[in-house]
Amino acid sequence: MKTDRTGCTAISCVVCWFMLLVVGTAFAAPRAAKELPGEVTISQDIKIGAAIYLTLTLENGTPVVVLLDTGSAVTHLDESLVPYLGPKKGTTEVIFPAMGWITAALYNQPKLFLNGTELKAEGKVQVYPFRLRPSSGTEIRGILGLNCLKHYCLQIDPEAGKLRFLKSGHFQKSEAGRYYSMVISQDYEIAAVEGNLLGDEDTGSIVDTGWSTDGALQQKNFRKALRRKGARLIRQGDPVTCNPPSAALLPVASFHMSSYTNVVINDARQADIYGLRFLARHVATLDFPDERLYLRRIDDSITVSGNGKAGIVEATRNP
């Protein structure tokens, strides 16, 4: 999840969940693109820390591997792609939980293609030197954000190892599981669902596929979680900057009256977050045009050892 100084209130606005509900009619749902990229193979290890990467191409055919990140308001690209982006449109400052504040150049959104289909997106892209280097050795050259993804219905299927682009509202809803309303803020470009991983339902959490753990809690909620029976701090981060963020292991966490075990959360200071590891405990359908999140729970048995490796945990599937 990323933001910039002009949009940093996007995080704190999640706390004002009821305010979003009251003015929800002002947030018009984006229309789905006419063409869909279809199906993409992803790692089945997203339940244990892997991310979702897509190989896009620029208009000239240049391949660009990007992180799928619904917690990012905009799309980010590596500075090595500047020769293909046209004139610079200014600068902004961007904050990353693991990197702090950095200065990014602004360019018009370039045409990006997935499986030969042009992705719908608007606004400016933020460009700077990337530091994302996953253990696979793949060179990551961008982050695909909500300015694009809000136009699509995405289904994340960890068991099949597939990411599917579905037609919004036109899929087997009876097989998609229970749905939860998403509030999509046009002002802040965030998508939020009621509740958090403490089971509180009078707040909202950002849906963030770029957050690799089960999620995160506002600092006051994170401290509250640590007081729960069996909760264990597995990494002490910087309590002021959350760079890096602290991490904790909860034996049990709750979401809308459902319980989950071995839940890894972070201290995100001002935001509650549902991360990719939580979504991957289900077949998750993120229907952004219809503003609904569908969750069909699957086997989510995971063993976690909190040694702080890679700044979080080591996790493996149970046999």
Side-chain angles (χ1 to χ4, degrees), residues 101-120:
W101 289 99
I102 63 173
T103 300
L106 297 175
Y107 293 83
N108 286 334
Q109 174 76 42
K111 292 184 178 181
L112 296 171
F113 298 81
L114 177 61
N115 289 343
T117 300
E118 182 180 353
L119 296 176
K120 188 173 182 179

Side-chain angles (χ1 to χ4, degrees), residues 196-203 217-232 248-250 252 265-267 272:
N196 63 20
L197 291 175
L198 288 182
D200 299 331
E201 296 189 8
D202 58 349
T203 184
L217 296 170
Q218 302 172 52
Q219 201 159 74
K220 65 177 183 178
N221 289 337
F222 184 80
R223 291 170 179 167
K224 178 181 175 182
L226 284 176
R227 293 195 293 270
R228 289 192 166 189
K229 183 178 180 180
R232 182 160 53 97
L249 175 63
L250 305 183
V252 179
I265 59 168
N266 299 105
D267 176 359
D272 289 345

Side-chain angles (χ1 to χ4, degrees), residues 294-313:
Y294 293 81
L295 296 176
R296 177 167 62 83
R297 192 162 178 174
I298 56 179
D299 177 20
D300 62 349
S301 55
I302 299 174
T303 298
V304 178
S305 60
N307 67 353
K309 183 178 180 180
I312 307 175
V313 293

Side-chain angles (χ1 to χ4, degrees), residues 37 60 91 141 219 252 257:
N60 67 355
T91 61
R141 303 177 76 187
Q219 201 159 74
V252 179
M257 301 183 70

Side-chain angles (χ1 to χ4, degrees), residues 46-109:
I46 56 176
K47 288 172 64 174
I48 57 174
I52 297 178
Y53 298 111
L54 305 177
T55 300
L56 309 182
T57 55
L58 297 176
E59 195 169 14
N60 67 355
T62 300
V64 183
V65 179
V66 299
L67 171 71
L68 184 84
D69 189 354
T70 59
S72 175
V74 301
T75 294
H76 304 246
L77 294 174
D78 182 66
E79 65 178 4
S80 65
L81 299 172
V82 165
Y84 312 117
L85 300 180
K88 183 177 176 180
K89 298 298 182 179
T91 61
T92 188
E93 291 190 344
V94 187
I95 188 169
F96 288 80
M99 295 166 54
W101 289 99
I102 63 173
T103 300
L106 297 175
Y107 293 83
N108 286 334
Q109 174 76 42

Side-chain angles (χ1 to χ4, degrees), residues 173 176-182 193 256 285 290-295:
K173 296 180 182 179
R178 181 178 174 183
Y179 82 83
Y180 305 88
S181 296
M182 280 196 295
V193 170
H256 289 262
T285 304
D290 207 25
E291 297 192 352
R292 289 184 175 188
L293 169 66
Y294 293 81
L295 296 176

